[in-house]
C-alpha cells in the first residue's frame, strides 16, 4: 500500500491519500477544538451561549459510558460512537441544538485488580487509560462538547452520587401517594400518631435503636442482614444481575454462594409496578422491554397462611391458589428464618426414615443440609433435571382449606429470592413437586381433572398434570366447593374464602429483588454514612460532601479459596483506622461524637445511574442540576410523556443492570422534585457487534490473526494448520485491530465510512480489513470530482447541471436524509456512492451547486474531508452547522415509470406512464393499447386488476 501511495503521490501530488487524510484530519480536529464547534448552549447558566442556537429544537444524544481500559480501543468499540456522531451531525444540520458528549465510567474492578497486581494506584492507571482513549476517540473526529465531559472518579462528580444516595436513604415509598416522600414526613406521622408503630407504642417511647430499625423497614436505601451472592474468589458480594446463568461471577467466572451478611440495599421493589408500566411509553427495542418485564416478573396470586402449632404460621405465595386442596406438604428455602423456630428437639414418632437424611435429630439434619445447599448456585438449585434433595424439619403445618397436617421440608429447589421463600407443594400438578414427592414417598392428591386417560390416582402417573383449561376435582370442605369450576373462577372463589377466614388474600408478587448496593472494594464511591456507638446509621450532612476516598496501602479485598463458601468479606477501607474512626459534629444537635465510617463502597453501577444529568450542567456545585436546564434538555414533551434523553445507544447486555437501575434512580429523583423527567432514556438503540475471526492451533490456543495465511481454503500459522471461527474481537483472542492502525493506513473518515457501511447498525457483522479500501476509494473519487489532483485547484463550474444529474442529486438527497434520520447509515452511504458514481461517469467538471450539496450529504459521515472541501469551495464557516440539503420533490419522482400489462399472467405490453396516474386512468390506457387489444382478440373481459403505476392484470371472460 505504501509503495503504491508513494507512486500515486509522485504522479498526482494532490491526490487524496492516507498522508493527506492524516494532515486534513489533524488540522480540522484542532480547528473544531479551538472554535468550540460542537459546544451546545444551555438556555441559562455558565454554559449558556448563542441564544439563536438555544432557541432551536433540542436533541440530546448519548452513548453508553465507556470504561477506560488499559488495552485501549479496538475497531469494534467505536461502532456506536461513530453512529451517534453521524446522527448528531445530521440533526445539527437539520436545525437542532444538539448535546453530544462523552465521559468515563471510571470506578470499578479492572483498575483495582491492576492495582493489586502492580502496586499502581487505581487513579494513576485509570487516568493514564483515559488519556490514551481520549486521543483515540479524538482521532475519529467525534463531535463532542468537551466542556461537558467528566469521569465518575472526580470528587466533584461523586459528591453528587453520594448526595443522591442520601436522598434515597432519606426517603420512603408512600404506597397511597404512589411515590417517594422524605423520611421526615414519615417520622411526623409516627410522632403525631396518624401512623401507628407496629406494637402500638408511642414514637416517644421507642429507643433510638428501635426508631432506626423501624425507619429501616421503610427507607429506600437500607442496611440489612440478608442472603447475598458471595464470591470468595473475588472477595466481594454481587447483585443478582452480576451472577451468570451457571451461578458464577460475571467478572472472573468464580463460584458464587449464598451467605448472610449485613449489606446496603436499594428498595427498587417499591417501584416494580411503575418500572413495568412506564416501559409502554418508551421507544425501546421490544426485546429489551421483554427482558425487563421478565426480570421484574409480575405475577398475580394469593398469600396463604399455613399455621404451625409451635411458631405461628408459614406464609406462602402461590399463583395457583385453586389447587390448595392438593397441597400435601410444604417446602421452605434452607435459608428461611422460620426454620429455627419450627424445628422440634426430636423426630416425631413414625417419621419416615427417608425424610431424615440419616440424621439423629431434626437440628442435625437441617444443619447438614444447609451447609450442602450453601455450596450451590441458585441456577444449580433450580435445575429441572437434577435429583431433588431435601430434609424434613420435624414440623407439621396445617393446610387451611383441608385441615390436614402436612410435613414441612427444606429443599434447595426453593429460593428466598422469590415469593416468601416457602411453597405449598401440590405434587400432582407441579413437575418439581412431583419429583420431590416421588423421591421422599410423599402423598399426592389430584385436584385438577386430567384431560388425558391417566385417571385421577397420581400414584399411577409418570409425571405431573398441569393445565389452565381443566376443571377442579376433589376440592371441597364443609364451607366451600371448587369442584367442577374452571381455574379462573376457582381462583376467585378460593381467594374470597381465604380473605373471609383471615388466612390469606389476593396479592401481586414480583421476581424483582431489592438491589444489593454494597461492595467489599476499594475503588468505588465511599458511602456518606457513619455509625454511632449503638450501631445506628447516620447520614453525613451535605456540607461534608464529597467524602473522598482515602489512601490505603493495600487495594485488594481479602480473597479466599474460590470454593470456600464459609469465608467472610474483609474490605480494604477497614484497614485505614484513622479514616474509619472519626469524631464528627453532624449538626443534629448531638454535638461532636465518635463514629465509625461505612467501609464498603458503592457498586460500579452507581456513577452511571445518573450521568446523563451531569452532562446537562457539569460545573454546578450548588445543585444536582439546574431545573431549567434539565427541563430544556430532558423534560416531558409531546411524544415523550416521561421525558428523557432523545437517543441512547449502547449494548443490549445492560438490559437488566444499568438500564433498570438508572430508571429507578430517575424515578426517585423525579418523585422528590429534583428533576422533571421520570425516565432517563426515551429512545434506546442497541448496536450490533463487530466480530472477527479467531484462529486456534491444535491445543485450542488463539494465534495472531494477522499472521495467519490462507492456502487452498485452509488456514496456517507458522506452517501449522489452524481452525477458524467467527467470534468476538479482543486482545486475548489475538484478533484485535486498532482504530489507530486503520486511521494510519487510510484515514479516520475511511474508518468511519467502513464501520457505517458494513451492514445495518443493529446487526453484528464480521470485520474484514481488506474491504476497508472500498470506502477509501469512494473518498478518492469524491475528492477527484471536486479537486484537480495535479494542481490542487477546485474544478467546479458555475453552470446549471443537466436534467439527469439533477434527478440523481435530488433522489440521493431525499434518500440519504431519510436514511440518516432512521439510522440506516449503510444505505445512506450506498446512495452517496451511487450519486458520486453517476457524477464520475457523467464526466466534465461538476456544477458548483451539485458539488456543494454532495459535500453536505457526506459531511455527517466523513466530516474531515467534507470540512476541507467546503473550505476549498470558498466557504469560511464550518460545514458542521450548514443546513442539510433539501430535495426538490419534482426531481425525486421519476418522470415516467414502466407499467406491465398482463393477460392470463403473460406480459402483453409495457406502458411508459406518469407515476401519479390513477387506477382508472391506467385501466383505460391499458385496455386501449394496440398490443393488448390484439392479444384479447375480441374476447370479453371478466376482471381488470390495477396496481398503479406498476401493474395491470386482465382476466378475459
Amino acid at each position: 500500500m505504501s509503495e503504491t501511495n508513494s507512486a500515486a503521490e509522485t504522479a498526482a501530488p494532490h491526490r487524496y491519500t492516507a498522508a493527506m487524510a492524516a494532515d486534513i484530519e489533524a488540522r480540522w480536529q484542532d480547528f473544531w477544538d479551538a472554535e468550540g464547534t460542537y459546544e451546545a448552549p444551555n438556555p441559562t447558566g455558565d454554559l449558556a451561549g448563542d441564544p439563536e442556537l438555544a432557541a432551536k429544537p433540542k436533541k440530546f444524544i448519548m452513548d453508553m459510558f465507556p470504561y477506560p481500559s488499559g488495552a485501549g480501543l479496538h475497531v469494534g468499540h467505536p461502532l456506536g460512537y461513530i453512529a451517534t456522531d453521524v446522527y448528531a451531525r445530521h440533526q445539527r444540520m437539520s436545525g437542532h441544538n444538539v448535546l453530544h458528549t462523552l465521559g468515563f465510567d471510571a470506578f470499578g474492578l479492572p483498575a483495582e485488580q491492576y492495582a493489586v497486581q502492580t502496586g499502581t494506584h487505581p487513579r494513576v492507571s485509570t487516568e493514564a487509560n483515559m488519556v490514551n482513549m481520549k486521543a483515540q476517540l479524538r482521532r475519529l473526529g467525534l463531535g463532542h462538547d468537551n466542556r461537558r465531559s467528566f469521569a465518575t472518579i472526580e470528587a466533584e462528580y461523586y459528591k453528587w452520587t453520594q448526595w443522591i444516595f442520601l436522598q434515597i436513604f432519606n426517603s420512603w415509598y408512600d404506597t397511597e401517594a404512589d411515590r417517594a416522600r422524605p423520611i421526615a414526613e414519615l417520622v411526623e406521622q409516627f410522632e403525631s400518631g396518624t401512623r401507628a408503630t407496629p406494637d402500638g407504642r408511642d414514637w416517644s417511647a421507642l429507643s433510638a435503636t428501635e426508631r432506626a430499625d423501624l425507619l429501616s423497614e421503610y427507607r429506600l436505601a437500607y442496611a440489612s442482614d440478608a442472603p447475598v451472592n458471595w464470591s470468595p474468589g473475588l472477595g466481594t458480594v454481587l447483585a443478582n444481575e452480576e451472577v451468570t446463568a451457571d451461578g458464577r461471577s460475571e467478572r472472573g467466572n468464580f463460584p458464587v454462594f449464598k451467605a448472610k451478611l449485613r449489606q446496603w440495599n436499594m428498595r427498587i421493589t417499591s417501584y416494580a409496578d411503575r418500572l413495568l408500566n412506564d416501559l409502554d411509553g418508551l421507544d425501546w427495542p421490544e426485546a429489551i422491554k421483554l427482558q425487563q418485564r421478565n426480570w421484574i416478573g409480575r405475577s398475580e396470586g394469593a398469600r396463604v397462611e399455613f399455621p404451625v402449632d409451635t411458631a405461628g404460621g408459614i406464609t406462602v405465595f402461590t399463583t395457583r391458589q385453586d389447587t390448595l386442596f392438593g397441597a400435601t406438604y410444604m417446602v421452605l428455602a434452607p435459608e428461611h428464618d422460620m426454620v429455627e423456630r419450627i424445628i422440634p428437639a426430636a423426630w416425631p414418632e413414625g417419621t419416615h426414615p427417608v425424610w431424615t437424611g440419616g440424621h439423629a435429630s431434626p437440628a442435625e439434619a437441617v444443619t447438614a443440609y444447609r451447609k450442602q445447599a450453601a455450596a450451590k448456585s441458585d441456577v444449580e438449585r433450580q435445575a429441572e433435571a437434577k435429583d431433588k434433595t431435601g430434609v424434613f424439619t420435624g414440623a407439621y403445618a396445617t393446610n387451611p382449606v383441608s385441615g390436614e397436617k402436612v410435613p414441612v421440608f427444606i429443599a434447595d429447589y426453593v429460593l428466598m429470592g422469590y415469593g416468601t421463600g416457602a411453597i405449598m407443594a401440590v405434587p400432582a400438578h407441579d413437575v418439581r413437586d412431583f419429583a420431590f414427592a416421588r423421591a421422599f414417598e410423599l402423598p399426592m392428591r389430584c385436584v385438577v381433572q386430567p384431560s388425558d386417560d391417566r385417571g385421577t390416582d397420581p400414584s399411577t402417573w409418570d409425571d405431573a398434570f398441569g393445565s389452565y383449561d381443566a376443571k377442579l376435582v376433589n376440592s371441597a370442605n364443609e364451607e366451600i366447593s371448587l369442584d367442577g369450576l374452571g381455574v379462573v373462577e376457582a381462583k376467585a372463589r378460593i381467594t374470597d374464602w381465604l380473605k373471609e377466614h383471615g388466612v390469606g388474600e389476593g396479592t401481586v408478587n414480583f421476581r424483582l429483588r431489592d438491589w444489593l448496593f454494597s461492595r467489599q472494594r476499594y475503588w468505588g464511591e465511599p458511602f456518606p454514612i457513619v455509625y454511632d456507638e449503638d450501631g445506628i446509621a447516620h447520614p453525613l450532612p451535605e456540607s461534608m460532601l464529597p467524602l473522598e476516598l482515602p489512601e490505603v496501602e493495600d487495594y485488594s479485598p481479602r480473597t479466599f479459596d474460590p470454593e470456600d463458601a464459609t469465608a467472610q468479606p474483609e474490605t480494604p477501607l477497614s484497614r485505614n483506622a484513622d479514616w474509619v474512626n472519626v469524631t464528627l459534629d453532624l449538626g443534629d444537635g448531638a454535638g461532636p461524637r465518635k463514629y465509625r465510617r461505612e467501609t464498603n463502597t458503592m457498586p460500579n453501577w452507581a456513577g452511571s445511574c445518573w450521568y446523563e444529568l451531569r452532562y446537562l450542567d457539569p460545573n454546578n456545585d450548588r445543585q444536582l442540576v439546574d431545573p431549567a436546564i434539565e427541563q430544556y434538555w430532558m423534560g416531558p414533551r409531546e411524544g415523550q410523556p416521561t421525558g428523557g434523553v432523545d437517543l441512547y445507544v449502547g449494548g443490549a447486555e445492560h438490559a437488566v443492570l444499568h438500564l433498570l437501575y438508572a430508571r429507578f434512580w430517575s424515578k426517585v429523583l423525579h418523585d422528590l422534585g429534583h428533576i422533571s423527567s421520570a425516565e432517563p432514556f426515551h429512545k434506546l438503540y442497541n448496536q450490533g457487534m463487530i466480530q472477527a475471526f479467531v484462529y486456534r492451533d491444535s491445543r485450542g490456543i488463539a494465534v495472531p490473526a494477522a499472521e495467519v495465511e490462507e492456502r487452498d481454503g485452509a488456514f496456517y500459522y507458522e506452517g501449522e494448520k489452524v481452525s477458524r471461527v467467527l467470534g468476538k474481537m479482543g486482545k486475548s483472542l489475538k484478533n484485535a485491530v486498532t482504530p489507530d492502525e486503520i486511521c494510519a493506513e487510510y484515514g479516520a473518515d475511511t474508518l468511519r465510512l467502513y464501520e457505517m457501511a458494513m451492514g445495518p447498525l443493529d446487526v453484528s457483522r464480521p470485520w474484514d480489513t481488506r474491504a476497508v479500501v472500498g470506502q477509501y476509494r469512494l473518498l478518492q473519487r469524491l475528492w477527484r470530482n471536486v479537486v484537480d489532483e495535479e494542481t490542487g485547484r477546485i474544478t467546479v463550474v458555475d453552470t446549471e447541471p443537466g436534467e439527469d444529474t439533477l434527478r440523481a442529486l435530488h433522489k440521493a438527497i431525499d434518500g440519504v436524509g431519510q436514511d440518516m434520520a432512521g439510522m440506516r447509515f449503510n444505505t445512506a452511504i450506498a446512495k452517496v456512492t451511487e450519486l458520486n458514481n453517476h457524477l464520475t461517469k457523467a464526466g466534465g467538471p461538476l456544477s458548483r451547486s451539485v458539488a456543494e450539496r454532495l459535500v453536505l450529504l457526506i459531511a455527517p459521515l466523513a466530516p474531515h474531508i467534507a470540512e476541507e472541501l467546503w473550505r476549498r469551495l470558498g466557504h469560511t464557516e464550518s460545514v458542521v452547522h450548514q443546513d442539510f440539503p433539501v430535495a426538490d420533490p419534482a426531481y425525486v419522482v421519476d418522470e415516467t415509470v414502466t407499467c406491465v400489462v398482463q393477460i392470463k399472467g403473460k406480459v402483453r405490453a409495457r406502458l411508459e406512464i406518469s407515476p401519479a396516474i390513477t387506477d382508472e386512468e391506467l385501466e383505460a390506457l391499458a385496455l386501449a393499447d394496440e398490443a393488448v387489444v390484439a392479444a384479447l382478440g375480441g374476447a370479453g373481459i371478466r376482471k381488470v386488476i390495477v396496481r398503479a403505476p406498476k401493474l395491470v392484470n386482465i382476466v378475459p371472460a
Side-chain angles (χ1 to χ4, degrees):
M1 178 77 190
S2 58
E3 290 179 10
T4 306
N5 274 348
S6 178
E9 287 169 28
T10 302
H14 296 279
R15 175 169 292 178
Y16 183 82
T17 62
M20 180 182 283
D23 174 65
I24 290 172
E25 289 163 3
R27 279 193 290 105
W28 284 110
Q29 287 160 16
D30 289 343
F31 174 86
W32 294 330
D33 285 348
E35 296 295 315
T37 302
Y38 302 107
E39 292 178 359
N42 280 343
T44 186
D46 65 314
L47 297 186
D50 180 359
E52 190 176 328
L53 181 53
K56 291 183 175 183
K58 62 87 190 181
K59 281 288 180 184
F60 185 6
I61 298 165
M62 271 180 61
D63 301 277
M64 287 190 183
F65 241 177
Y67 189 86
S69 163
L73 301 176
H74 60 63
V75 291
H77 292 125
L79 179 66
Y81 306 149
I82 295 170
T84 53
D85 187 62
V86 173
Y87 183 77
R89 289 175 181 277
H90 178 255
Q91 291 298 307
R92 281 192 197 93
M93 297 176 75
S94 301
H96 291 85
N97 181 22
V98 177
L99 193 167
H100 188 214
T101 191
L102 194 69
F104 290 94
D105 191 11
F107 276 126
L109 195 54
E112 185 170 289
Q113 289 178 324
Y114 185 75
V116 171
Q117 294 164 9
T118 65
T120 307
H121 193 286
R123 180 176 294 279
V124 173
S125 60
T126 300
E127 290 179 345
N129 295 343
M130 284 193 289
V131 168
N132 179 48
M133 284 182 66
K134 282 179 181 178
Q136 287 185 299
L137 292 167
R138 184 179 187 271
R139 193 171 184 181
L140 296 173
L142 303 177
H144 294 148
D145 184 344
N146 292 322
R147 304 171 304 164
R148 300 174 183 268
S149 184
F150 56 80
T152 55
I153 59 175
E154 296 166 7
E156 296 81 5
Y157 179 82
Y158 69 74
K159 165 188 175 178
W160 294 104
T161 307
Q162 293 171 337
W163 181 88
I164 295 171
F165 174 84
L166 293 179
Q167 305 310 300
I168 299 172
F169 174 78
N170 284 319
S171 302
W172 62 293
Y173 200 84
D174 183 345
T175 54
E176 292 181 7
D178 201 21
R179 66 177 180 87
R181 295 172 61 186
I183 200 76
E185 295 181 16
L186 181 66
V187 172
E188 247 177 58
Q189 293 180 15
F190 282 128
E191 286 178 336
S192 65
T194 56
R195 182 181 293 266
T197 61
D199 61 5
R201 285 187 293 161
D202 287 343
W203 179 256
S204 58
L206 301 183
S207 69
T209 300
E210 288 173 325
R211 291 179 187 177
D213 289 345
L214 177 54
L215 293 179
S216 280
E217 296 296 316
Y218 291 85
R219 291 187 189 273
L220 290 178
Y222 64 95
S224 70
D225 292 315
V228 295
N229 301 306
W230 165 235
S231 175
L234 284 176
T236 190
V237 299
L238 302 169
N240 289 339
E241 296 87 343
E242 294 173 301
V243 181
T244 64
D246 57 353
R248 303 178 77 84
S249 62
E250 185 182 48
R251 184 171 291 279
N253 198 38
F254 290 105
V256 175
F257 305 97
K258 284 294 181 186
K260 211 164 194 178
L261 298 170
R262 190 161 188 81
Q263 303 290 316
W264 281 97
N265 298 271
M266 294 275 183
R267 210 178 298 273
I268 192 173
T269 47
S270 295
Y271 283 83
D273 268 325
R274 283 171 61 186
L275 289 168
L276 201 59
N277 296 336
D278 286 355
L279 283 170
D280 293 339
L282 299 181
D283 185 4
W284 285 20
E286 282 304 317
I288 299 295
K289 288 185 179 183
L290 180 61
Q291 285 185 67
Q292 288 215 353
R293 289 187 181 108
N294 290 342
W295 191 261
I296 295 167
R298 187 183 194 275
S299 52
E300 295 186 16
R303 287 185 180 270
V304 185
E305 191 85 5
F306 282 70
V308 179
D309 293 341
T310 57
I314 298 171
T315 303
V316 303
F317 170 80
T318 176
T319 58
R320 289 300 303 269
Q321 60 268 40
D322 55 302
T323 64
L324 254 169
F325 284 94
T328 57
Y329 66 97
M330 297 187 73
V331 183
L332 304 183
E335 306 87 353
H336 202 293
D337 58 10
M338 280 289 290
V339 175
E340 287 88 350
R341 289 154 51 189
I342 64 174
I343 297 175
W347 295 116
E349 186 176 346
T351 296
H352 196 310
V354 77
W355 296 2
T356 69
H359 294 280
S361 70
E364 289 178 26
V366 166
T367 300
Y369 188 78
R370 279 179 155 177
K371 185 175 181 181
Q372 174 186 328
K376 298 179 183 177
S377 70
D378 285 358
V379 174
E380 289 174 315
R381 286 171 56 169
Q382 290 193 296
E384 296 289 349
K386 77 179 187 69
D387 293 334
K388 294 294 180 282
T389 63
V391 71
F392 180 41
T393 63
Y396 285 84
T398 302
N399 183 321
V401 294
S402 69
E404 295 176 352
K405 294 288 187 180
V406 295
V408 181
F409 285 75
I410 61 172
D412 61 12
Y413 77 94
V414 176
L415 306 176
M416 282 304 298
Y418 182 78
T420 64
I423 66 164
M424 61 174 213
V426 184
H429 308 294
D430 180 271
V431 173
R432 294 184 306 165
D433 295 345
F434 185 94
F436 190 91
R438 278 284 165 89
F440 287 87
E441 301 178 22
L442 288 157
M444 304 187 206
R445 180 177 297 111
C446 173
V447 293
V448 178
Q449 180 68 50
S451 56
D452 50 27
D453 58 0
R454 68 175 66 197
T456 57
D457 180 4
S459 66
T460 64
W461 296 356
D462 294 325
D463 54 15
F465 172 80
S467 173
Y468 262 74
D469 300 327
K471 301 291 185 183
L472 274 294
V473 295
N474 301 324
S475 297
N477 61 27
E478 293 178 358
E479 299 178 13
I480 185 173
S481 174
L482 306 182
D483 291 345
L485 299 181
V487 170
V488 174
E489 188 180 352
K491 287 173 76 170
R493 186 172 295 184
I494 194 65
T495 300
D496 290 342
W497 187 90
L498 290 169
K499 188 171 183 179
E500 287 170 12
H501 288 72
V503 291
E505 62 178 347
T507 188
V508 174
N509 196 59
F510 294 91
R511 178 178 181 267
L512 181 68
R513 300 294 91 194
D514 282 346
W515 172 17
L516 179 70
F517 201 70
S518 294
R519 296 296 182 273
Q520 292 67 48
R521 291 283 166 198
Y522 169 70
W523 195 230
E525 298 91 340
F527 281 92
I529 293 289
V530 291
Y531 299 92
D532 64 23
E533 292 173 335
D534 294 323
I536 298 172
H538 297 264
L540 292 181
E542 188 177 332
S543 61
M544 290 187 181
L545 302 182
L547 172 60
E548 296 196 34
L549 196 62
E551 296 297 322
V552 296
E553 292 183 5
D554 182 1
Y555 309 117
S556 59
R558 185 180 173 197
T559 56
F560 303 87
D561 178 342
E563 304 290 343
D564 183 3
T566 64
Q568 294 284 309
E570 178 187 292
T571 62
L573 290 182
S574 65
R575 302 176 196 135
N576 189 331
D578 291 341
W579 183 82
V580 173
N581 302 302
V582 290
T583 299
L584 300 172
D585 184 349
L586 300 182
D588 55 2
R593 295 177 63 189
K594 290 182 178 179
Y595 295 98
R596 175 178 53 82
R597 295 195 192 279
E598 172 62 70
T599 61
N600 288 305
T601 52
M602 298 186 197
N604 61 304
W605 307 105
S608 60
C609 276
W610 72 281
Y611 71 118
E612 71 282 356
L613 298 171
R614 192 62 175 175
Y615 283 154
L616 307 182
D617 197 10
N619 305 318
N620 198 333
D621 60 0
R622 303 174 310 282
Q623 292 173 286
L624 178 74
V625 61
D626 183 303
I629 295 173
E630 187 272 336
Q631 174 72 47
Y632 173 83
W633 288 111
M634 290 185 63
R637 62 204 66 221
E638 187 177 353
Q640 299 183 16
T642 50
V645 173
D646 295 287
L647 175 66
Y648 192 39
V649 174
E653 66 272 15
H654 296 297
V656 294
L657 285 161
H658 157 64
L659 288 173
L660 197 60
Y661 298 156
R663 295 183 65 213
F664 165 55
W665 277 35
S666 282
K667 291 188 182 302
V668 177
L669 291 171
H670 171 76
D671 286 356
L672 299 176
H674 299 300
I675 58 175
S676 65
S677 49
E679 286 284 343
F681 315 115
H682 172 69
K683 180 177 177 64
L684 175 71
Y685 191 100
N686 297 133
Q687 86 273 17
M689 181 188 297
I690 290 183
Q691 299 171 304
F693 287 113
V694 183
Y695 299 89
R696 298 185 183 277
D697 62 20
S698 58
R699 302 166 299 164
I701 305 297
V703 301
E707 298 174 31
V708 172
E709 296 178 357
E710 182 177 358
R711 298 199 300 268
D712 300 325
F715 303 94
Y716 297 86
Y717 172 68
E718 294 183 344
E720 180 192 348
K721 193 172 182 180
V722 293
S723 64
R724 184 181 82 161
V725 65
L726 194 61
K728 286 185 177 182
M729 182 180 286
K731 188 176 179 181
S732 63
L733 297 172
K734 299 181 182 178
N735 64 352
V737 178
T738 69
D740 309 66
E741 297 172 51
I742 304 302
C743 289
E745 191 78 5
Y746 300 102
D749 280 341
T750 295
L751 173 62
R752 290 169 61 101
L753 281 172
Y754 177 65
E755 294 216 1
M756 294 300 95
M758 290 171 74
L761 183 60
D762 58 351
V763 175
S764 293
R765 73 294 304 268
W767 176 267
D768 182 0
T769 299
R770 294 169 299 181
V772 177
V773 71
Q775 300 307 318
Y776 180 61
R777 288 174 181 150
L778 166 62
L779 294 180
Q780 288 183 315
R781 287 192 296 270
L782 172 71
W783 182 267
R784 275 197 300 272
N785 275 331
V786 181
V787 177
D788 187 301
E789 293 184 334
E790 296 294 335
T791 65
R793 294 194 196 97
I794 293 296
T795 59
V796 300
V797 293
D798 292 321
T799 57
E800 284 303 308
E803 183 81 6
D804 287 349
T805 294
L806 280 173
R807 199 164 294 285
L809 173 66
H810 286 279
K811 279 187 176 181
I813 290 171
D814 181 61
V816 172
Q818 291 186 48
D819 287 345
M820 291 278 194
M823 300 182 72
R824 299 183 295 273
F825 304 126
N826 59 319
T827 55
I829 292 169
K831 291 179 175 72
V832 172
T833 304
E834 185 179 354
L835 172 62
N836 196 53
N837 289 344
H838 169 88
L839 298 174
T840 301
K841 290 173 184 174
L846 292 190
S847 162
R848 172 175 287 277
S849 65
V850 173
E852 290 184 344
R853 281 178 281 189
L854 174 62
V855 169
L856 293 172
L857 276 184
I858 205 165
L861 293 153
H864 306 93
I865 194 172
E867 196 78 89
E868 181 72 13
L869 290 173
W870 191 248
R871 183 61 58 96
R872 291 190 181 215
L873 284 164
H875 300 281
T876 56
E877 293 184 352
S878 169
V879 75
V880 169
H881 291 285
Q882 300 305 308
D883 291 339
F884 198 78
V886 177
D888 183 338
Y891 291 110
V892 171
V893 178
D894 289 328
E895 282 189 303
T896 63
V897 294
T898 301
C899 174
V900 172
V901 182
Q902 295 178 335
I903 300 175
K904 290 187 177 180
K906 291 185 178 181
V907 177
R908 296 298 185 180
R910 285 184 169 86
L911 310 178
E912 294 299 318
I913 54 155
S914 165
I917 196 169
T918 66
D919 283 0
E920 293 77 13
E921 292 169 335
L922 182 54
E923 180 177 340
L925 274 178
L927 294 176
D929 184 83
E930 290 181 10
V932 172
V933 172
L936 285 170
I941 297 172
R942 191 176 71 191
K943 191 177 195 182
V944 180
I945 301 165
V946 182
R947 298 286 184 265
K950 294 292 183 72
L951 176 68
V952 176
N953 193 10
I954 301 170
V955 183

